[in-house]
């Protein structure tokens, strides 16, 4: 495993040479003047992602730190309090959550809950006067995403989605190669993301009302994202089909979905998502060469290639770079490169995929 602790100097040096214009924006923003105070983040929901990724990443961040927690489990609160030296006044439960508005230690709320709770906790966070990061998938559907964006605008707070790959050098490189047509126009794009679900059959991820869907909502979001950010365009229509080999297990949600996604001008990409296959790749062919990623989307090691050979880019702690960038945005009162609108665009695609599964036809993305 090549993964090593995030070195900002390494990343900036490599990004400025290798990852081109998209990364260069990041380099410039890191030299902007900073207020003295690191921004305080409160994690809402202390499940697997908070415990094993976000809290450890917050020990590596430069611009923000773990200031508070919101949890329904007093035992977890006690453990985190000691492990991360969190003062009692910065510990909330779901009932006392709104009182965060009186707490100057907390600048940013990070919603890391099951999907059906994203909308409520994002809106309550913004109404409490805090900037918000909400995990993916942004919400149950596009309508909810619109409500969240409107509420954050009304409260004059920034909203960002936990799309860590926009800060990951290999993924940033495919954005550059695709969007700047470094190998000419893209002529084929295929991407897939999934894992073989062997977890608790009663988990929220398998309940339609709590998760909104299955492999598509959880994993397919990355394949949709990769198609969009490689081309730098918005899709207009989609045709999808699904496969279920374990219908007893995936009673309420999708297992594997395959789709053909159409972009303006008629170019069609292929993509797939699954709770029953271990996929994590992006393969792109262009007029004068090819490039891609694999593993592409996990938060372990990411690898990539081009016609010129393997990509030689650093491994970073995705979440640390992502949260540091959002803290910069708050300091500068500037929209994140992954704002709520980015989550909304993906959910419009997801909604159209589910409509296509119902109708059996190609559906417009609206
Ligand atoms: P998890 O099941 O491990 O944690 C969910 C947390 O929510 C738990 O602490 C649970 O106690 C709490 N919770 C509060 N009310 C609940 C309720 N009514 N039902 C169930 N749980 C409730 O899930 P996770 O893997 O940490 O995922 C949380 C979010 O983070 C999801 O949106 C997921 O998609 C996202 N996530 C993102 C990434 C990434 O790479 N960006 C990776 C993993 C998870």
């Amino acid at each position: 495993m090549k993964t090593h602790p995030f070195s900002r100097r390494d990343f900036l040096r490599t990004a400025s040479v290798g990852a081109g214009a998209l990364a260069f924006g990041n380099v410039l923003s890191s030299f902007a003047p900073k207020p003295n105070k690191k921004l305080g983040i409160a994690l809402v929901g202390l499940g697997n992602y908070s415990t094993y990724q976000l809290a450890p990443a917050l020990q590596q961040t430069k611009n923000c730190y773990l200031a508070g927690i919101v949890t329904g489990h007093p035992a977890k609160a006690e453990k985190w309090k000691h492990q991360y030296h969190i003062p009692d006044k910065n510990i909330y439960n779901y009932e006392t959550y709104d009182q965060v508005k009186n707490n100057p230690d907390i600048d940013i709320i990070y919603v890391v809950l099951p999907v059906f709770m994203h909308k409520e906790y994002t809106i309550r966070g913004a109404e409490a006067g805090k900037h918000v990061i909400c995990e993916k998938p942004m919400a149950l559907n596009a309508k909810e995403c619109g409500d969240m964006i409107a509420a954050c605008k009304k409260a004059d707070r920034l909203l960002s989605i936990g799309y860590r790959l926009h800060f990951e050098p290999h993924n940033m490189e495919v954005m550059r190669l695709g969007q700047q047509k470094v190998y000419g126009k893209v002529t084929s794009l295929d991407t897939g993301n999934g894992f073989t679900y062997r977890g608790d059959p009663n988990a929220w991820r398998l309940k339609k009302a709590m998760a909104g869907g299955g492999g598509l909502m959880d994993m397919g979001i990355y394949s949709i994202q990769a198609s969009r950010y490689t081309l730098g365009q918005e899709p207009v229509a989609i045709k999808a089909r699904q496969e279920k080999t374990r219908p007893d297990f995936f009673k309420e949600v999708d297992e594997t979905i395959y789709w053909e996604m159409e972009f303006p001008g008629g170019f069609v990409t292929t993509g797939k998502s699954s709770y029953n296959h271990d996929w994590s790749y992006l393969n792109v062919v262009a007029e004068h060469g090819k490039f891609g990623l694999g593993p592409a989307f996990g938060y372990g090691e990411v690898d990539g290639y081009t016609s010129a050979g393997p990509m030689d880019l650093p491994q970073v702690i995705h979440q640390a770079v992502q949260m540091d960038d959002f803290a910069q945005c708050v300091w500068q009162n500037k929209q994140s490169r992954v704002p709520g609108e980015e989550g909304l665009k993906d959910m419009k695609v997801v909604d159209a995929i589910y409509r296509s599964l119902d109708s059996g036809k190609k559906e417009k993305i609206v």
Side-chain angles (χ1 to χ4, degrees):
M1 186 94 167
K2 271 196 299 186
T3 307
H4 53 74
F6 170 59
S7 153
R8 191 170 194 88
R9 203 189 316 127
D10 284 356
F11 175 51
L12 293 180
R13 190 178 54 231
T14 311
S16 65
V17 177
L22 288 155
F24 195 60
N26 200 40
V27 174
L28 289 179
S29 67
S30 71
F31 289 120
K34 293 176 186 174
N36 294 328
K37 179 184 165 281
K38 273 188 171 194
L39 297 182
I41 293 194
L43 296 177
V44 186
L46 307 181
N48 285 311
Y49 195 54
S50 284
T51 304
Y52 301 111
Q53 304 302 327
L54 295 176
L58 279 163
Q59 311 312 303
Q60 308 291 329
T61 41
K62 311 273 188 290
N63 304 336
C64 49
Y65 73 105
L66 179 57
I69 48 176
V70 181
T71 175
H73 297 93
K76 271 192 203 171
E78 200 55 25
K79 182 169 184 292
W80 280 62
K81 166 182 158 172
H82 293 293
Q83 186 172 357
Y84 293 112
H85 311 291
I86 300 169
D88 284 329
K89 68 180 177 60
N90 292 1
I91 299 177
Y92 297 87
N93 60 39
Y94 298 112
E95 286 72 45
T96 61
Y97 174 51
D98 307 279
Q99 294 170 19
V100 77
K101 76 166 181 260
N102 302 317
N103 193 331
D105 289 357
I106 292 164
D107 304 285
I108 296 166
I109 290 293
Y110 198 147
V111 178
V112 203
L113 291 163
V115 185
F116 77 103
M117 299 173 81
H118 287 187
K119 175 181 158 181
E120 178 186 339
Y121 284 84
T122 293
I123 293 177
R124 282 170 66 182
E127 287 177 347
K130 307 301 173 183
H131 302 284
V132 182
I133 308 175
C134 176
E135 256 315 316
K136 49 57 61 178
M138 181 172 170
L140 292 174
N141 50 52
K143 161 81 178 66
E144 285 198 345
C145 298
D147 294 345
M148 292 157 76
I149 292 167
C152 291
K153 281 216 170 94
K154 190 168 169 213
D156 195 20
R157 298 294 85 180
L158 294 173
L159 171 62
S160 178
I161 307 305
Y163 286 142
R164 55 187 164 72
L165 294 173
H166 285 251
F167 308 90
E168 193 286 315
H170 301 77
N171 279 268
M172 290 165 74
E173 178 66 349
V174 299
M175 294 175 201
R176 184 184 77 89
L177 295 172
Q179 293 179 25
Q180 297 184 9
K181 300 190 173 63
V182 172
Y183 289 101
K185 210 169 129 186
V186 172
T187 55
S188 126
L189 187 156
D190 180 42
T191 176
N193 195 35
F195 74 101
T196 309
Y197 191 105
R198 297 190 204 283
D200 175 6
N202 297 312
W204 65 264
R205 278 191 164 79
L206 300 187
K207 297 198 169 26
K208 174 89 178 157
M210 298 175 99
L216 177 62
M217 289 288 278
D218 197 12
M219 307 305 284
I221 282 287
Y222 292 92
S223 317
I224 294 167
Q225 272 271 303
S227 308
R228 291 182 46 243
Y229 61 60
T230 303
L231 296 173
Q233 291 183 331
E234 296 311 321
V236 293
I238 196 147
K239 171 98 171 39
R241 69 182 169 85
Q242 68 174 318
E243 184 179 272
K244 264 194 197 183
T245 60
R246 292 193 281 161
D248 289 352
F249 201 73
F250 300 107
K251 283 193 199 84
E252 296 186 23
V253 299
D254 46 282
E255 179 187 307
T256 301
I257 298 182
Y258 303 88
W259 64 81
E260 293 175 353
M261 185 153 70
E262 191 179 313
F263 284 80
F267 179 61
V268 175
T269 67
T270 50
K272 56 197 180 194
S273 61
S274 186
Y275 266 166
N276 203 40
H277 293 278
D278 300 318
W279 293 322
S280 176
Y281 74 90
L282 168 72
N283 288 321
V284 183
V285 181
E287 289 165 310
H288 312 299
K290 58 186 182 171
F291 56 94
L293 302 171
F297 309 127
Y299 38 70
E301 180 173 322
V302 177
D303 274 325
Y305 66 90
T306 70
S307 297
M311 285 181 192
D312 182 19
L313 293 169
Q315 305 294 330
V316 301
I317 300 172
H318 305 185
Q319 298 83 357
V321 203
Q322 170 212 327
M323 290 187 279
D324 269 343
D325 185 87
F326 189 61
Q328 282 273 358
C329 291
V330 170
W331 277 332
Q332 298 170 355
N333 193 24
K334 153 186 123 174
Q335 182 88 296
S336 157
R337 80 179 74 153
V338 282
E341 285 78 359
E342 186 68 17
L344 169 64
K345 285 174 185 163
D346 290 328
M347 287 312 302
K348 285 184 175 176
V349 177
V350 167
D351 287 354
I353 288 178
Y354 286 131
R355 284 201 303 277
S356 175
L357 292 181
D358 285 344
S359 70
K361 294 184 186 145
K362 180 160 93 174
E363 293 285 341
K364 283 194 177 140
I365 297 166
V366 286

